[in-house]
Amino acid sequence: MVGIPRRSRKDRPVDGTMSLMEHLYELRRRLFFAALGLLAGTVLGFVWYTVSIPALGLRSLNDILIAPYCNVPAQYRLVTGGREGCQLLATTPFSFLQVRIKAALMVGAVISSPVWLYQLWGFVTPALYSRERKFAVSFVVAGGALFFAGAALAYYVIGEGLKVLLSFAGDAGTSALSPDSYFSFLIAMLIIFGLSFEVPLLLVMLNFAGVLKGARLAASRRYAIFGMVVLAAVVVPGNDPVTMSALAIALAILYEVAVQVSKAHDRRKERRLVAAGMAELSDDEASPMPVEPGPVGHTDAVGGSSPVPPPAPIPPVEPPDRLGDAT
């Protein structure tokens, strides 16, 4: 079977256009390097799980992830030997192996994010204009920063949330968390907070696209804050008041930031329209023609006509001699 020829990168058009098969080849190449980066980050996270470098102040990944649980007072959890009485209780032989793999995958995705984000950006960039690329870079950077900020906030409030959740037992019992339940709760909280912090960025993106106005967002502030409180109550596992309050307050602050950014963008857009003389036009009204119309009855001179030569005569076609053909 003859393979479909592919053009080299230097032979492709300047505008980045490619055929369907070239797009598929490019997607395969980008996915390969993204998966390779994720694999390398996962291996590094798997090794880091039990390795610490005290000279550099680097704790092991296990110590970092278990720290919120260790911050819970000893009266609310089972005190075991080693590590000052702070350990998880495994109930199956594969509990810690599964937890280590999950933690390595999570850390690998974070560590390798520059690699797979670069591959994603390299695949999408040829389809964007220069102005769209500028906005896309800004939104990708802001989205990554907001996700990490949300995950960091979740990490610091998980300890307080566990204090509330584990204190409900009182003197009736002691909590002994298994690795599966604890790390599932931890990873879910990190992802929920990180994704929730993307909601205000989505509103700003809609404003930049012309779908939402800053004034509309400001007028809907009360309903939006109520919706964020409901969202925090629904998505937070355990529904403890500390974690829900932290998420709702953070989202309310970010929503106000989105409102101010959107209003500032609208004012800047209005100033550009005023400078161009199109501020009074509605969204469905056409802008005026840049050419000044002439007086009524005025016509521009059109070049003189030139005669068109008549078509050449068609010579008559004589009918064939049927009698001669028959003979």
Side-chain angles (χ1 to χ4, degrees), residues 165-179:
L165 293 174
L166 299 183
S167 64
F168 287 134
D171 298 333
T174 301
S175 300
L177 298 183
S178 65

Side-chain angles (χ1 to χ4, degrees), residues 97-112:
L97 177 60
Q98 294 174 355
V99 167
R100 187 168 181 174
I101 294 176
K102 290 180 182 179
L105 283 172
M106 181 182 65
V107 173
V110 175
I111 295 177
S112 63

Side-chain angles (χ1 to χ4, degrees), residues 49 88-92 95-100 102 176-185:
Y49 189 82
L88 299 174
L89 183 62
T91 56
T92 62
S95 294
F96 283 109
L97 177 60
Q98 294 174 355
V99 167
R100 187 168 181 174
K102 290 180 182 179
L177 298 183
S178 65
D180 295 336
S181 60
Y182 172 72
F183 281 98
S184 298
F185 172 75

Side-chain angles (χ1 to χ4, degrees), residues 235-259:
V235 300
V236 170
N239 297 329
D240 62 282
V242 176
T243 307
M244 288 192 303
S245 300
L247 180 59
I249 293 174
L251 289 179
I253 294 174
L254 289 176
Y255 182 85
E256 186 61 30
V257 173
V259 169

Side-chain angles (χ1 to χ4, degrees), residues 3-317:
I4 299 177
R6 285 185 292 171
R7 293 178 294 183
S8 61
R9 299 178 66 87
K10 64 180 180 179
D11 295 334
R12 293 174 185 172
V14 181
D15 57 358
T17 57
M18 293 183 293
S19 64
L20 176 60
M21 293 305 302
E22 287 175 337
H23 276 292
L24 295 178
Y25 285 130
E26 181 71 10
L27 177 61
R28 183 184 64 178
R29 190 176 70 88
R30 297 289 183 182
L31 289 177
F32 172 76
F33 286 110
L36 189 63
L38 178 60
L39 177 62
T42 302
V43 172
L44 181 60
F46 191 86
V47 175
W48 181 27
Y49 189 82
T50 55
V51 175
S52 61
I53 306 177
L56 301 178
L58 180 63
R59 297 185 299 170
S60 65
L61 179 60
N62 184 31
D63 291 338
I64 294 175
L65 295 178
I66 204 175
Y69 174 69
C70 294
N71 292 333
V72 177
Q75 59 183 351
Y76 299 140
R77 56 180 172 81
L78 179 64
V79 178
T80 57
R83 194 176 295 160
E84 299 179 357
C86 179
Q87 286 182 329
L88 299 174
L89 183 62
T91 56
T92 62
F94 301 100
S95 294
F96 283 109
L97 177 60
Q98 294 174 355
V99 167
R100 187 168 181 174
I101 294 176
K102 290 180 182 179
L105 283 172
M106 181 182 65
V107 173
V110 175
I111 295 177
S112 63
S113 58
V115 177
W116 54 265
L117 282 176
Y118 173 78
Q119 299 301 326
L120 176 62
W121 179 248
F123 181 75
V124 175
T125 297
L128 302 177
Y129 296 104
S130 58
R131 186 169 179 267
E132 294 174 340
R133 294 176 188 174
K134 180 183 66 174
F135 284 133
V137 170
S138 302
F139 285 127
V140 168
V141 173
L146 287 174
F147 186 88
F148 284 121
L153 178 62
Y155 179 80
Y156 285 108
V157 302
I158 282 175
E160 300 298 326
L162 285 176
K163 292 179 182 178
V164 175
L165 293 174
L166 299 183
S167 64
F168 287 134
D171 298 333
T174 301
S175 300
L177 298 183
S178 65
D180 295 336
S181 60
Y182 172 72
F183 281 98
S184 298
F185 172 75
L186 178 65
I187 294 174
M189 289 290 293
L190 296 178
I191 295 177
I192 288 172
F193 270 68
L195 294 179
S196 299
F197 272 44
E198 304 293 337
V199 175
L201 179 62
L202 177 62
L203 297 178
V204 174
M205 293 176 63
L206 293 176
N207 174 258
F208 275 62
V211 179
L212 284 177
K213 297 293 185 181
R216 179 70 176 272
L217 293 176
S220 305
R221 185 183 289 110
R222 291 180 298 175
Y223 305 102
I225 293 177
F226 176 76
M228 291 175 183
V229 173
V230 174
L231 175 66
V234 171
V235 300
V236 170
N239 297 329
D240 62 282
V242 176
T243 307
M244 288 192 303
S245 300
L247 180 59
I249 293 174
L251 289 179
I253 294 174
L254 289 176
Y255 182 85
E256 186 61 30
V257 173
V259 169
Q260 299 304 324
V261 171
S262 300
K263 293 174 69 174
H265 175 260
D266 292 341
R267 289 193 296 267
R268 185 169 63 252
K269 183 178 179 180
E270 184 70 20
R271 287 195 297 267
R272 289 199 303 266
L273 293 177
V274 171
M278 297 184 294
E280 302 298 330
L281 296 177
S282 60
D283 295 336
D284 56 351
E285 185 177 356
S287 59
M289 296 295 294
V291 180
E292 292 294 336
V296 178
H298 172 75
T299 57
D300 295 331
V302 181
S305 61
S306 58
V308 180
I314 302 176
V317 180

